[in-house]
Amino acid sequence: MAAVNGHASSTEPKPLNDLFTGLPTTIFTVMTNLAIKHKTINLGQGFPDEEGPDNMKRLVGSATLEHHNQYPPMFGVPELRQAVARHSKTYSGVDVQWASETLITVGATEAIAAAFLGILNKGDEVIMFDPMYDCYGSMAMRAGGLVKAVKLNVEDWSVDRQQLQQTFTPKTKLIVVNTPHNPTGKVFSKQDLQFIADLCIQHNVYALLDEVYEHLVFKGSQHVSLRSLEGMRERSIRIGSAGKTFSFTSWKIGWVTGPPPLINAIAKAHQFLVFTVPSNLQRAVAYGLDNESSFFT
C-alpha cells in the first residue's frame, strides 16, 4: 500500500476486461508460430495464393485523387451498396433494396461484431456450429449472448439434426450459419439449410449468415444462401467480404444485407465502432463486383 495525501492507496493494478484478457492464444497464432519454428507450409491461416485484379488496385489510386477524402456516408458509398445489391441478386437469387438493406463494414469481422451488438440482449441464446471461426463466441458473449454450440460430426462434418433441434429453446435469439464453413470447408446442403430454416421459423429466431467464402466451392458443390429459402428473407442477415472474394485481405471491406429493422440496429453499433469505411477502397470493390466477376467465378 502507498500513501497519497495521507490516504492509503493500493498499487495493485485494477483488473481489465475478464472476457478478453481471459481468452487463450488463438489457434491461428499457434499454428503460425509452429510453421515458422519448423519451417513448414502454413495451412492454418487464410492467406490467398494470388493478388486480386490489377484494375481494382489502380482504381484505389485514381479514386483517392479524383474524389474527396472526407468521411463518406456511414452506410457506405452508393456505388458499392448498389453493386452489393446486384451481386446478391445475381449469385444468390436474393433481391436487395440497396438504399435500405445494405451496410458496408470494415471487413466481415466488424460486420459480425456489429451484428451481435445490434441484435443481442443479455441472456439471449446464440446457436453456433462447432468448430467455428474463433471470433464468434467471444464477440457474442461480449454482447451479452449465451453461446450454445452444436458439434458437427467429425466423420463427415454433417449436422446432428437431433442435437440441433434440441438446442433451440424459447431463449434462442440467433443462429450463426457459416457456409462454406471455416475451418472445415463444409458446404451446407440445401436439405441442411431447409432443416435450419424450418427451426428458425418455428422458434422465431434470426439467422446470421457468414457467407464470405460463397465463391470458393469445389466443382460439384453449390453454395446456397439460407436467406434465399422461403420464410428466411426477413429474419436473415447475410455477410460478404471483398477480402475473400478478391484476395485483397488487407483492404478489410465487408458488407451486410438484410431487412431494414436488422440493418438499422446493426448500423447503430457500426456507427460507434468505426462509423465509416475508406471510400477509395469502397469504389474499387464496387468496380470489381460489377466488372471483375471472372476472378471469382
Side-chain angles (χ1 to χ4, degrees), residues 45-46 56 60 80 103-113 133 135 212-213 239-255 270 274 276-282 285:
Q45 189 171 10
M56 293 177 66
V60 172
L80 180 52
L103 172 68
I104 309 305
T105 59
V106 180
T109 301
E110 191 251 317
I112 293 165
Y133 178 39
C135 91
V212 299
Y213 295 107
I239 295 174
S241 164
K244 301 300 189 295
T245 299
F246 293 109
S247 296
F248 285 138
T249 56
S250 74
W251 289 17
K252 296 298 291 181
I253 302 292
W255 53 83
H270 166 79
V274 298
T276 192
V277 182
S279 57
N280 56 347
L281 297 175
Q282 290 190 61
V285 173

Side-chain angles (χ1 to χ4, degrees), residues 21-35:
T21 57
L23 290 176
T25 303
T26 70
I27 187 61
F28 303 106
T29 300
V30 171
M31 297 308 294
T32 295
N33 289 340
L34 286 172

Side-chain angles (χ1 to χ4, degrees), residues 32-244:
T32 295
N33 289 340
L34 286 172
I36 294 171
K37 178 181 178 180
H38 297 285
K39 297 182 173 62
T40 60
I41 296 173
N42 183 9
L43 298 180
Q45 189 171 10
F47 196 93
D49 291 330
E50 57 184 343
E51 292 275 328
D54 286 341
N55 286 338
M56 293 177 66
K57 294 182 184 179
R58 295 188 187 97
L59 204 147
V60 172
S62 62
T64 303
L65 295 172
E66 294 170 10
H67 296 269
H68 71 73
N69 288 272
Q70 310 311 318
Y71 293 124
M74 184 183 77
F75 278 82
V77 299
E79 300 98 304
L80 180 52
R81 298 178 70 195
Q82 292 164 9
V84 165
R86 288 189 291 268
H87 181 267
S88 175
K89 175 64 174 176
T90 299
Y91 296 102
S92 293
V94 180
D95 283 312
V96 170
Q97 300 299 315
W98 77 266
S100 60
E101 298 184 327
T102 63
L103 172 68
I104 309 305
T105 59
V106 180
T109 301
E110 191 251 317
I112 293 165
F116 287 144
L117 291 170
I119 294 173
L120 296 178
N121 289 311
K122 185 176 182 180
D124 287 338
E125 294 180 356
V126 187
I127 297 174
M128 303 178 183
F129 293 100
D130 186 29
M132 69 187 75
Y133 178 39
D134 60 351
C135 91
Y136 293 162
S138 56
M139 287 309 307
M141 289 187 288
R142 183 65 273 169
L146 301 176
V147 175
K148 301 296 181 179
V150 174
K151 286 188 175 293
L152 297 174
N153 294 314
V154 176
E155 294 79 9
D156 57 0
W157 304 119
S158 60
V159 177
D160 185 330
R161 293 188 178 187
Q162 182 177 5
Q163 184 191 4
L164 177 60
Q165 189 169 19
Q166 292 172 347
T167 305
F168 277 80
T169 76
K171 293 183 178 180
T172 305
K173 170 74 75 68
L174 184 69
I175 184 171
V176 179
V177 181
N178 172 210
T179 182
H181 183 256
N182 177 9
T184 69
K186 170 186 172 61
V187 177
F188 282 65
S189 69
K190 190 169 184 178
Q191 292 74 23
D192 282 339
L193 295 173
Q194 187 61 63
F195 186 78
I196 294 169
D198 291 342
L199 288 171
C200 288
I201 295 168
Q202 177 186 345
H203 294 275
N204 193 25
V205 168
Y206 297 119
L208 177 62
L209 313 179
D210 182 350
E211 300 183 4
V212 299
Y213 295 107
E214 60 183 311
H215 297 296
L216 297 179
V217 294
F218 290 113
K219 290 181 179 179
S221 295
Q222 180 183 7
H223 168 69
V224 176
S225 176
L226 184 65
R227 195 170 187 232
S228 69
L229 302 187
E230 185 176 355
M232 292 305 297
R233 189 183 187 282
E234 297 305 314
R235 64 176 68 250
S236 298
I237 285 294
R238 187 165 176 262
I239 295 174
S241 164
K244 301 300 189 295

